[in-house]
Amino acid sequence: MKSIKVILGLALLFVVNGCSNVSYSFSGTTIDYNTTKTISIANFINEIGSGPPNMAQTFTEGLKDYFQRRTKLQMVQNQGDLQFEGGISNYRVAPQAISSSGSSTRADGTGLMRLTITVQVVFNDTVNEEASFQRPFEFYADYDPSTTTLNAVEDDLVEEIFEALYFDIFQAAVAQW
């Protein structure tokens, strides 16, 4: 019985060792770290001028942090094996649902507001040109204007939206699901 466990363990070791040129991780990436070693993320710009004043910088630093936490790629200023650049192309607040006032003398109001942010991303994979893309990523978060204001929840909503955008960009660039 013990010898069977040893044989199975050795067989598993050989199988795992045979797959060593592509790294698989719990984050879902399939990066070949033998050929792809660096990443560069240029400063994203706020192309529309609305939203929090530091929104573009917050997005850029958050995207860098997201990749650093989930890959073994070295962050470089420019000319990385993987290169990102782009800008925030839309920041929109719009009503999503009407709320009845329940009164014939008072007007109905907005029951739900939605903040939507779109980021235009240019991704260049210098190792595998076919993986490169240029496309928008968009996500939203809702809030109830009857209980709060946009100013009170804006930072939390932007953070929530950015986390979803980081995930989507990461998946499109290095997980390719």
Side-chain angles (χ1 to χ4, degrees):
M1 185 68 172
K2 189 174 183 178
S3 62
I4 292 174
K5 288 182 182 179
V6 171
I7 291 172
L8 288 175
L10 288 173
L12 181 62
L13 180 65
F14 287 121
V15 169
V16 170
N17 193 32
C19 300
S20 64
N21 55 343
V22 175
S23 175
Y24 296 94
S25 70
F26 291 114
S27 63
T29 64
T30 55
I31 299 170
D32 182 352
Y33 288 103
N34 292 320
T35 57
T36 306
K37 299 179 186 311
T38 60
I39 183 171
S40 58
I41 300 176
N43 289 331
F44 278 67
I45 57 170
N46 186 346
E47 298 171 349
I48 47 159
S50 58
N54 63 342
M55 185 169 58
Q57 179 183 2
T58 300
F59 182 82
T60 302
E61 293 306 315
L63 187 61
K64 287 178 181 179
D65 184 57
Y66 197 90
F67 273 86
Q68 287 179 316
R69 286 185 282 132
R70 287 165 178 78
T71 69
K72 296 187 291 184
L73 298 172
Q74 179 185 0
M75 188 68 61
V76 295
Q77 271 308 77
N78 48 41
Q79 302 302 315
D81 296 325
L82 304 181
Q83 302 168 2
F84 290 89
E85 62 181 286
I88 297 170
S89 58
N90 191 12
Y91 182 92
R92 175 178 74 247
V93 179
Q96 294 302 305
I98 302 299
S99 175
S100 174
S101 67
S103 169
S104 60
T105 59
R106 210 171 74 207
D108 292 342
T110 303
L112 191 65
M113 294 293 286
R114 175 167 291 169
L115 171 61
T116 304
I117 299 175
T118 307
V119 178
Q120 185 68 33
V121 176
V122 178
F123 170 65
N124 185 25
D125 185 334
T126 63
V127 176
N128 177 13
E129 286 292 326
E130 293 176 5
S132 299
F133 60 79
Q134 177 176 347
R135 69 182 186 100
F137 290 85
E138 182 175 280
F139 208 78
Y140 64 87
D142 297 330
Y143 69 97
D144 184 351
S146 67
T147 60
T148 190
T149 65
L150 177 60
N151 286 343
V153 296
E154 186 174 38
D155 289 342
D156 292 336
L157 295 177
V158 169
E159 182 179 332
E160 177 183 337
I161 292 167
F162 280 0
E163 283 298 321
L165 290 171
Y166 302 148
F167 176 80
D168 287 349
I169 294 165
F170 183 85
Q171 292 298 314
V174 297
Q176 295 152 355
W177 287 25

